[in-house]
Amino acid sequence: MKFYTALYTSKIAYIILKTFKKSGTAFAGFVALKICPDFLSHTRKYIKENIINITGTNGKTTTSGLIAHILETNSNSVIHNLKGANMLTGIVNAFVLKLFPFKKFDYAVIETDEAYLTKVYDFIKTDTLVVTNLFRDQLDRYGELDHTQKIIQEAINKNKNLKLILNADDPMVASFKTGAEPIFYGIENIEYHCRYDDKSNAPTEVVNCKCHAPLNYTKRFYAQQGHYYCENCKFERPKCKYAAKVIIYNDYFEIQIQHDSNTDTFRVNLTGLYNAYNALAAISCAFEQGLKASEIQNALDSYHSVFGRTETRMINEHKTLIQLIKNPAGASEVLKTVDLDSNIIIAINDDYADGRDISWLWDSDFEQLKNANKMVVTSGVRAYDMATRLKYAGIPQNRIKIEPDIKKAIAYVSEITPKEEKITILPSYTVLLKISKY
């Protein structure tokens, strides 16, 4: 009875919120949990096929968005926390908005914050977990990587029959274990046919083997991702069920995937190696749900980025590319792809959702912008810190402008940019939410 009371009360609360034109990606979930703390435990019966979780440091929103879109395009009904609210209230919010007592869905695709995965599994047993990567991120919340790895494994231990779909190229992700044999995806080779390449000045993540010996690499793609082995205990990158060759162009990439004695090539209209990993994870998951290559490609052709994840929007009559940045590995990969002929806004906050610790700015490869041809405007609460970082990255001070108010920063850049030219915005998470309201 509490479950249905929570469901309808939170739906009404959401309608009231919208009536007054207020935003809140987790408000209905907050109300539901106040009334029925075990709300999630009642939702399993509404999913006919599989509940798929996606976790990891980077790429959760894009990967889960791709998986949900592929399933929906192929006539499946899906519950999905599209807006990326991935803590417990946000996940419950996604169920609240979709569920009705006599309606069932084929799938639930749930992006889940690394620290909240174990809390989700306290209430519900899911079928599949996709893990993208583990990079240093929000040290004030997660601590070092071994702690993040530990809390994800603790969550997995609560769900013994879980199917794991793991990034083989990340040694920390490849180490996760469950009752069943994990399914691995990874990249065998990369070709760059674009204006940028694989060169980066960002510090390389140092990851030791589980036996504490240093890992060696025959190929290293970025951060700790690549082909690794340990001379001490013979731990090595596992063999991939979904092994990919990636060709990266300026505005898209191709993934050639070998699997089950087949080879399929997919075109994905996203940019950057980091998105190639996201797409490979999503395609691997789609294959595991029984979809065919042609069905997957048809869905990829119509996919549009989730807001702020390599998404182009019109702002003040300018084509504007918005790319979220939030930690060294992810930011450095995004910075490789930035159009240096565009005016650029970098907007950094240090709210809880961004991470209070902004030391990551100094580990990110902002040196990639030193040849930017136009203005670089810093904004957000940490606009002055960001400007200092750019100064040390080698950007001339006369091309750096500080405007802490993001709305004013966008207005300024819109004014100085001819309408035929585009703008690039690189925001942290809470700035991205502000931009989405515009």
Side-chain angles (χ1 to χ4, degrees):
M1 187 64 183
K2 268 189 176 182
F3 170 74
Y4 293 111
T5 302
L7 179 63
Y8 285 112
T9 303
S10 52
K11 282 181 180 291
I12 292 167
Y14 180 78
I15 292 169
I16 293 170
L17 193 73
K18 287 299 179 184
T19 300
F20 288 97
K21 297 182 179 179
K22 301 290 184 181
S23 63
T25 57
F27 180 71
F30 173 80
V31 173
L33 288 173
K34 280 293 183 183
I35 299 169
C36 182
D38 65 342
F39 185 94
L40 266 185
S41 64
H42 299 275
T43 60
R44 171 80 250 194
K45 62 186 177 184
Y46 291 97
I47 307 301
K48 292 186 286 186
E49 297 292 337
N50 292 332
I51 299 177
I52 302 167
N53 286 110
I54 300 88
T55 198
T57 308
N58 286 63
K60 294 186 292 293
T61 302
T62 299
T63 302
S64 60
L66 281 164
I67 294 170
H69 181 72
I70 291 168
L71 292 171
E72 288 175 329
T73 304
N74 288 284
S75 303
N76 293 290
S77 55
V78 180
I79 292 177
H80 172 44
N81 50 340
L82 175 66
K83 297 282 181 73
N86 57 25
M87 298 180 188
L88 201 57
T89 52
I91 292 167
V92 171
N93 196 90
F95 279 95
V96 163
L97 299 187
K98 288 275 192 174
L99 285 183
F100 290 93
F102 301 107
K103 182 179 181 181
K104 291 192 176 184
F105 290 78
D106 296 308
Y107 291 90
V109 177
I110 304 299
E111 174 189 339
T112 311
D113 179 90
E114 304 94 292
Y116 278 80
L117 187 66
T118 185
K119 296 180 182 180
V120 170
Y121 286 175
D122 282 337
F123 297 107
I124 190 168
K125 296 295 183 283
T126 67
D127 303 284
T128 302
L129 174 64
V130 180
V131 187
T132 58
N133 48 59
L134 289 180
F135 302 138
R136 281 189 300 119
D137 183 50
Q138 297 190 31
L139 295 178
D140 53 310
R141 284 188 62 208
Y142 299 115
E144 288 295 343
L145 285 177
D146 56 349
H147 175 66
T148 307
Q149 183 187 38
K150 181 181 177 183
I151 59 178
I152 293 176
Q153 184 62 61
E154 287 173 354
I156 292 169
N157 292 343
K158 294 179 179 180
N159 210 343
K160 294 292 186 182
N161 296 320
L162 193 62
K163 176 187 280 190
L164 295 180
I165 300 178
L166 304 177
N167 179 1
D169 295 349
D170 187 323
M172 302 198 77
V173 172
S175 298
F176 289 128
K177 302 292 182 187
T178 188
E181 191 67 26
I183 292 162
F184 293 102
Y185 65 90
I187 293 175
E188 302 300 322
N189 194 34
I190 303 168
E191 293 180 13
Y192 289 90
H193 295 182
C194 56
R195 62 179 175 267
Y196 55 91
D197 55 29
D198 61 345
K199 295 182 178 66
S200 175
N201 299 307
T204 301
E205 296 280 1
V206 177
V207 176
N208 285 343
C209 179
K210 53 191 174 182
C211 73
H212 306 298
L215 288 172
N216 298 295
Y217 283 79
T218 56
K219 293 181 181 179
R220 195 159 194 159
F221 301 133
Y222 75 94
Q224 74 267 24
Q225 297 196 121
H227 296 189
Y228 49 84
Y229 65 95
C230 176
E231 290 183 343
N232 183 51
C233 72
K234 309 307 178 187
F235 171 67
E236 62 182 358
R237 174 183 181 265
K239 184 178 180 181
C240 296
K241 181 176 181 179
Y242 300 100
K245 175 185 176 182
V246 176
I247 304 174
I248 298 181
Y249 300 91
N250 283 330
D251 300 315
Y252 69 96
F253 53 79
E254 292 179 354
I255 306 180
Q256 185 183 87
I257 302 177
Q258 290 186 333
H259 63 101
D260 302 322
S261 302
N262 298 315
T263 301
D264 293 300
T265 301
F266 300 91
R267 173 176 166 140
V268 185
N269 296 316
L270 295 171
T271 60
L273 176 58
Y274 58 99
N275 272 324
Y277 270 108
N278 297 335
L280 177 57
I283 293 167
S284 301
C285 183
F287 274 129
E288 288 299 309
Q289 309 313 310
L291 275 79
K292 298 175 183 177
S294 58
E295 295 172 326
I296 295 171
Q297 183 62 69
N298 181 54
L300 293 174
D301 289 341
S302 60
Y303 175 75
H304 297 287
S305 299
V306 177
F307 187 77
R309 275 72 171 187
T310 320
E311 188 201 29
T312 300
R313 284 285 183 95
M314 294 302 293
I315 299 180
N316 296 341
E317 299 183 75
H318 290 89
K319 185 180 285 187
T320 305
L321 181 65
I322 307 167
Q323 298 194 85
L324 175 71
I325 57 172
K326 67 190 189 82
N327 57 39
S332 297
E333 286 302 302
V334 167
L335 287 163
K336 288 180 188 177
T337 70
V338 170
D339 183 352
L340 300 181
D341 290 323
S342 66
N343 283 305
I344 300 165
I345 299 173
I346 306 175
I348 306 297
N349 281 353
D350 61 356
D351 293 342
Y352 176 74
D354 304 293
R356 302 287 188 188
D357 185 339
I358 62 158
S359 61
W360 65 272
L361 297 178
W362 294 90
D363 291 333
S364 302
D365 190 13
F366 286 101
E367 283 71 14
Q368 294 278 353
L369 303 182
K370 65 184 177 183
N371 294 321
N373 296 315
K374 295 183 179 174
M375 293 297 295
V376 183
V377 179
T378 64
S379 189
V381 174
R382 292 292 192 154
Y384 287 89
D385 299 85
M386 190 66 247
T388 301
R389 174 68 183 93
L390 294 179
K391 174 186 173 183
Y392 282 93
I395 298 174
Q397 286 182 260
N398 63 357
R399 286 199 283 108
I400 300 172
K401 179 178 174 62
I402 301 170
E403 176 46 75
D405 185 291
I406 183 59
K407 198 167 187 179
K408 291 180 181 178
I410 292 172
Y412 167 75
V413 169
S414 298
E415 186 178 335
I416 66 169
T417 304
K419 288 185 179 178
E420 66 274 10
E421 295 181 10
K422 72 178 183 180
I423 295 169
T424 299
I425 305 180
L426 308 177
S428 66
Y429 183 69
T430 60
V431 185
L432 178 64
L433 295 181
K434 287 185 178 181
I435 295 170
S436 71
K437 294 178 183 179
Y438 301 154

